[in-house]
Amino acid sequence: MSDVADLAAFHTLGPDGVPAVVLGLQERYGTAQLVWRNELGGLTFRLGDGPYLKWSPRPAAPALDRERDALGWLAGRHPVPALLDHGADDHAQWLLTAPLPGEHAVGDRWRARRSEAIAAIAVGLRAVHALPVDVVPAHRAGESWAARTPTGLGPRPPLTDPVVVHGDACAPNTLVSGAGAWVGHVDLGDLGVGDRWADLAVASLSLDWNFGEGHQPELFRAYGIEPDPERIRYYRALWELES
């Protein structure tokens, strides 16, 4: 995604219509409203004023397996949606999760209160990075894109301070209360262990898309860190390659 105008495409259902599982859940929870469509055809719906349904076609569906597991690892340790149900068939997988309080940090309210939103994003990232790394099982810690070492990007910066990384730290995945406080995170399918700059590089870049250019230094100040150009370059390139 390279332009704010591109966001419109991610609020369009596409040619395939509403999945059957969503239609069935409407009877219980209320009318489904499309929230997001990702580049791989995955759909997120809000059901009435209740839960969210994430639906992902195969072969992209394994990302939902990882997200389901991450919600379990973080339950009671970090504010993430509670998993209500999940399922799969030959064509797709889905997750049903309870809503968290607050709203995405890039809604209309936060375009007018950008400094508060950016501060909340920084608080949330510090909270993720403060989790003990063993919250992610050791055999799963390297599954995030942030831990991969593809060829062609040059040497990976040395990892001297491993932390839990969100893995998709774009600004919309931070939830903010009406008072401007960070209240939780969503979209955790790439949770892992790695360099905090994997999150910071992506989060700061996403501010350009959502708020316009010029806000990246504010995020680094709010987080309490000096920009590291080498790591920012590396992890943005890796994210573009792996996402």
Side-chain angles (χ1 to χ4, degrees):
M1 194 185 315
S2 61
D3 191 281
V4 173
D6 293 338
L7 288 171
F10 295 90
H11 297 281
T12 304
L13 184 58
D16 297 325
V18 178
V21 64
V22 178
L23 295 174
L25 288 168
Q26 286 186 133
E27 298 178 8
R28 178 176 180 183
Y29 293 108
T31 302
Q33 179 179 0
L34 180 68
V35 176
W36 193 252
R37 176 177 60 86
N38 67 29
E39 297 95 330
L40 300 176
L43 304 172
T44 300
F45 294 88
R46 180 80 187 270
L47 293 159
D49 59 357
Y52 288 84
L53 189 289
K54 295 185 74 171
W55 178 92
S56 183
R58 300 184 187 277
L64 286 192
D65 285 340
R66 296 195 298 269
E67 181 161 6
R68 180 194 64 211
D69 292 344
L71 295 177
W73 303 333
L74 295 178
R77 308 186 75 167
H78 190 81
V80 297
L83 180 64
L84 301 178
D85 201 357
H86 62 91
D89 58 28
D90 291 341
H91 306 291
Q93 288 183 322
W94 54 271
L95 298 178
L96 185 70
T97 59
L100 286 175
E103 59 187 13
H104 297 286
V106 298
D108 290 343
R109 182 203 307 254
W110 302 112
R111 293 179 192 280
R113 297 165 57 183
R114 295 176 186 180
S115 292
E116 291 174 81
I118 291 168
I121 291 167
V123 169
L125 289 178
R126 285 201 303 267
V128 173
H129 299 160
L131 288 165
V133 293
D134 63 5
V135 74
V136 182
H139 69 287
R140 303 287 300 276
E143 291 183 352
S144 172
W145 64 268
R148 297 172 193 148
T149 309
T151 59
L153 291 184
R156 171 184 286 276
L159 180 59
T160 58
D161 181 25
V163 300
V164 175
V165 292
H166 180 288
D168 189 3
C170 295
N173 291 334
T174 292
L175 300 182
V176 184
S177 74
W182 166 71
V183 293
H185 281 121
V186 296
D187 288 351
L188 294 139
D190 272 316
L191 189 82
V193 174
D195 190 327
R196 72 185 67 237
W197 280 101
D199 281 344
L200 287 165
V202 172
S204 56
L205 179 61
S206 78
L207 297 180
D208 289 359
W209 307 330
N210 292 286
F211 294 149
E213 296 184 3
H215 299 284
Q216 294 188 28
E218 190 173 353
L219 177 67
F220 301 138
R221 288 195 299 270
Y223 186 94
I225 198 167
E226 289 295 320
D228 186 321
E230 177 188 359
R231 292 174 191 267
I232 291 171
R233 180 206 61 78
Y234 180 87
Y235 285 108
R236 286 180 181 171
L238 179 59
W239 185 71
E240 290 285 352
L241 183 66
E242 296 287 333
S243 62

